[in-house]
Amino acid sequence: VARASALRYREPGGERVPWWGDYLEWKEFNGVLIPSRFSVTWGDEGTAWSYWNIEGMEFNVDVSEALSGK
């Protein structure tokens, strides 16, 4: 997988605009290979406006206490 795309609303009540994320780097976290760096682009602008880096990932973590508000 190199890219994920969708039509997204940039503004409430606006038109849907093509949007995509390009997966630039992959890294293994806890035995699972995931995109670790990706860029985000609005199709009508044509150039990436944001770059995201994943520094860590945990899987199957019990979050019930955090969700209960305790």
Side-chain angles (χ1 to χ4, degrees):
V1 176
R3 174 181 282 180
S5 63
L7 291 173
R8 297 191 48 138
Y9 293 101
R10 189 181 329 203
E11 300 175 8
E15 296 289 321
R16 291 191 306 168
V17 178
W19 173 98
W20 63 83
D22 287 310
Y23 304 128
L24 306 174
E25 295 176 20
W26 293 74
K27 187 174 179 181
E28 188 174 309
F29 293 96
N30 299 314
V32 178
L33 187 64
I34 67 166
S36 59
R37 178 170 166 76
F38 54 97
S39 64
V40 180
T41 302
W42 287 106
D44 61 349
E45 294 176 357
T47 58
W49 62 274
S50 183
Y51 290 87
W52 300 359
N53 295 297
I54 306 300
E55 297 176 353
M57 181 70 64
E58 295 292 329
F59 300 94
N60 298 319
V61 176
D62 182 2
V63 296
S64 57
E65 186 174 320
L67 294 175
S68 70
K70 293 181 181 178

